[in-house]
Amino acid sequence: MTIIALSIIIGTIMTMSSSNWLMAWLGLELNMLAILPILSKPKTSRASEATTKYFLTQAIASAMMLLSSTINAWQTGNWGISELKNKFSTTIMALSLMMKMGAAPVHFWLPEVLQGTTLQTALLITTWQKIAPITLMYMISNNIQPTILVFAGILSMIIGGLGGINQTQLRKMMAYSSINNLGWTITIMAFSPNTALMNIFTYIIMTTPIFLMMTSMSTKTLQNLSTTWTTSMTMTLSIALLMLSTSGLPPFTGFMPKMLILNELISQKLTILATLAIMTSLISLLFYLRVTYLIMMLTPPMTTPSSTKWRAQNQKSQPTTMMTPTALFTTHLIPAIPF
């Protein structure tokens, strides 16, 4: 397990620190091959299916990366990441990085893979696995045509919002939440790459405690979530607040990057795009509020001396070291807005 964890970390760091497409590709491949044993660890057909889907999509994305960098090297004679000048190569590279991340229109693998894995692995895929492709996109953002990024971003926002509305499985809901947030990141990447990085790292800080709390309470569906008052009132209330924060409601931390993105779009005279982004965020707000309403309004905040057998294990669950600080950051970082 230590070797696998080291390989995942080294692969990401290698990609982030490389200035050459071949080294970046090598880091992504190392990262992908290391996570496959973690995905296939549960001996179920669902886990095997998720592993196969993950491998195939990542392999296709890697092949597209190689194709793009090879065409560019053929045209320019340079393998450097910052030297991606060919428009055709740039478009293929942007699509391959979107497939690596799970952004629309190449997002289909993400909800299915998350549903077939454990909550810890789902956390890994929605947070750490996005860092390397986002870094590469940041490095080539000046060369990508803004129209492509804006189209993919708005599409991701719409699909992420509509896809999450009818879900009862929390892992699929978080997958569509991830797609929605990637939409905001990709949209602003064309105009302010630094804001895009801040948005994705804020999302990682917000998503981490949600998955850790769901793992601690063995909660995988909305039905499970509605019964968690009996085992941990604090965590249940925290999940409700974290969901509101992820939706981008003030005064929580999730409002900060959205406000900065909208401010940047309006300052660039892109008012129509900013309005579209706000409208799509209202769609995703619907399923976040649905979860919060289910937790806080429909079930009385009371404990009971008797707990069902399958819930008994949760009486001993304690917050992990990462859970408390990340949950605090998720709800109290608004004063840190760089204005």
Side-chain angles (χ1 to χ4, degrees):
M1 196 65 189
T2 310
I3 296 171
I4 291 172
L6 276 174
S7 299
I8 291 172
I9 294 166
I10 290 168
T12 302
I13 293 171
M14 189 189 298
T15 302
M16 290 172 69
S17 58
S18 61
S19 59
N20 183 289
W21 279 118
L22 288 177
M23 287 302 293
W25 175 81
L26 196 64
L28 286 170
E29 287 302 291
L30 177 64
N31 184 285
M32 179 193 73
L33 292 173
I35 202 174
L36 291 178
I38 299 176
L39 279 166
S40 59
K41 190 179 179 183
K43 303 304 176 191
T44 60
S45 57
R46 200 68 196 264
S48 303
E49 182 186 334
T51 309
T52 308
K53 284 178 179 174
Y54 185 81
F55 172 74
L56 288 174
T57 49
Q58 298 297 312
I60 292 167
S62 296
M64 287 171 68
M65 274 189 71
L66 272 183
L67 173 67
S68 170
S69 52
T70 306
I71 291 172
N72 186 69
W74 180 39
Q75 295 280 334
T76 62
N78 198 320
W79 285 94
I81 290 177
S82 57
E83 299 299 319
L84 196 69
K85 306 295 184 186
N86 185 284
K87 282 189 177 181
F88 180 66
S89 298
T90 310
T91 306
I92 295 177
M93 186 61 72
L95 273 173
S96 71
L97 292 175
M98 287 175 201
M99 188 181 283
K100 286 272 183 194
M101 289 183 278
V106 279
H107 65 283
F108 300 101
W109 63 272
L110 186 61
E112 295 301 318
V113 168
L114 287 201
Q115 184 58 28
T117 61
T118 61
L119 286 165
Q120 295 97 323
T121 313
L123 170 62
L124 187 64
I125 291 171
T126 51
T127 54
W128 183 265
Q129 293 300 95
K130 284 184 171 42
I131 295 174
I134 281 283
T135 307
L136 288 176
M137 187 171 276
Y138 174 83
M139 292 166 79
I140 64 168
S141 58
N142 290 332
N143 300 326
I144 305 174
Q145 296 175 55
T147 315
I148 295 169
L149 290 177
V150 168
F151 174 74
I154 294 294
L155 194 61
S156 295
M157 287 184 207
I158 294 169
I159 288 171
L162 292 175
I165 287 176
N166 204 32
Q167 297 298 331
T168 56
Q169 296 288 332
L170 290 175
R171 282 168 295 182
K172 275 195 175 181
M173 190 180 291
M174 293 307 294
Y176 284 109
S177 166
S178 171
I179 293 165
N180 179 269
N181 191 269
L182 278 174
W184 285 84
T185 305
I186 293 169
T187 301
I188 198 61
M189 187 72 79
F191 310 104
S192 176
N194 291 332
T195 310
L197 276 190
M198 189 204 69
N199 181 61
I200 197 69
F201 283 114
T202 306
Y203 177 74
I204 288 171
I205 291 171
M206 291 189 296
T207 304
T208 303
I210 293 177
F211 274 110
L212 290 176
M213 287 178 189
M214 288 196 298
T215 305
S216 180
M217 296 189 294
S218 302
T219 305
K220 294 179 182 178
T221 64
L222 285 177
Q223 188 178 6
N224 293 162
L225 201 59
S226 64
T227 62
T228 51
W229 276 116
T230 59
T231 55
S232 178
M233 277 197 293
T234 310
M235 279 196 196
T236 308
L237 184 61
S238 298
I239 283 185
L241 293 176
L242 291 169
M243 287 289 182
L244 290 177
S245 180
T246 312
S247 70
L249 276 181
F252 301 108
T253 304
F255 175 65
M256 175 178 67
K258 283 187 169 59
M259 186 175 70
L260 292 174
I261 288 169
L262 292 172
N263 181 59
E264 182 65 32
L265 290 174
I266 291 167
S267 67
Q268 298 268 3
K269 303 290 188 291
L270 296 164
T271 315
I272 295 173
L273 184 57
T275 308
L276 267 174
I278 292 169
M279 296 300 287
T280 54
S281 73
L282 291 175
I283 304 171
S284 61
L285 178 64
L286 185 62
F287 69 80
Y288 290 118
L289 284 177
R290 180 170 163 234
V291 176
T292 309
Y293 178 76
L294 184 69
I295 295 171
M296 300 182 75
M297 302 295 184
L298 297 185
T299 314
M302 54 184 284
T303 54
T304 172
S306 63
S307 62
T308 51
K309 189 176 180 182
W310 64 278
R311 282 279 172 197
Q313 58 173 326
N314 298 317
Q315 301 286 357
K316 299 177 184 177
S317 65
Q318 295 294 324
T320 63
T321 312
M322 280 183 66
M323 195 187 297
T324 307
T326 47
L328 283 171
F329 286 147
T330 302
T331 50
H332 293 93
L333 269 187
I334 277 288
I337 296 179
F339 267 161

